[in-house]
Amino acid sequence: MDPDGTSLEAVHHGRRRTDGHVDHVWLRVGDLAATRAFYTAFLEPAGLTVGIDSPDHLLLRAGGGSVSFVPGERPSAHLHLAFSSSGGEPAVDAFHAAALAAGGVDHGPPGRRPIYHPGYYGAFVLDPDGHNVEVVHHDR
């Protein structure tokens, strides 16, 4: 555990996974129902699928890893979650529209961001706990 109560873990899956990928992340949230409504609004454009959906746990699969949301007395704070989309610019645009419709707060409209690298197209929305959620397409 780190000083903020966040659990840190190293995992070995043999040859099932490749190095350099996040295996899983668990986040504590203030209102799991609001979090569920927000994240499930843009599953497809973000390339996410639901792995677990129970009253006290929402697990979203992203590529070879996962993100879990669980209720907590002290919600995780100040996070940036970026999901890579293979659906191109239309998927990024769809994420932004769906996230705003689900109650998210605009934190950067869809667009190219050459400051990061040529071909970077992303959008940013704040989730119910104030985390900066991004869907990005790398066209390079």
Side-chain angles (χ1 to χ4, degrees):
M1 292 282 188
D2 75 3
D4 292 325
T6 302
S7 172
L8 305 173
E9 173 183 21
V11 178
H12 176 70
H13 290 286
R15 296 182 180 266
R16 293 185 345 188
R17 300 257 168 83
T18 58
D19 289 340
H21 290 78
V22 173
D23 188 81
H24 60 274
V25 175
W26 286 65
L27 306 176
R28 296 177 311 272
V29 298
D31 182 344
L32 186 56
T35 298
R36 178 179 290 108
F38 177 78
Y39 282 91
T40 58
F42 55 83
L43 293 171
E44 185 177 339
L48 302 171
T49 58
V50 176
I52 296 172
D53 189 358
S54 70
D56 61 350
H57 186 188
L58 173 66
L59 180 142
L60 302 178
R61 298 196 184 286
S66 66
V67 179
S68 285
F69 301 93
V70 296
E73 290 180 27
R74 291 178 35 205
S76 303
H78 310 295
L79 298 174
H80 177 114
L81 300 172
F83 301 102
S84 182
S85 176
S86 61
E89 293 178 12
V92 173
D93 297 346
F95 149 74
H96 190 259
L100 293 180
V105 176
D106 180 42
H107 198 58
R112 293 205 172 271
R113 293 186 167 68
I115 190 168
Y116 301 134
H117 67 70
Y120 193 106
Y121 188 89
F124 307 85
V125 177
L126 299 179
D127 79 359
D129 284 296
H131 303 306
N132 184 19
V133 181
E134 173 186 10
V135 170
V136 59
H137 175 68
H138 301 281
D139 182 19
R140 58 176 172 166

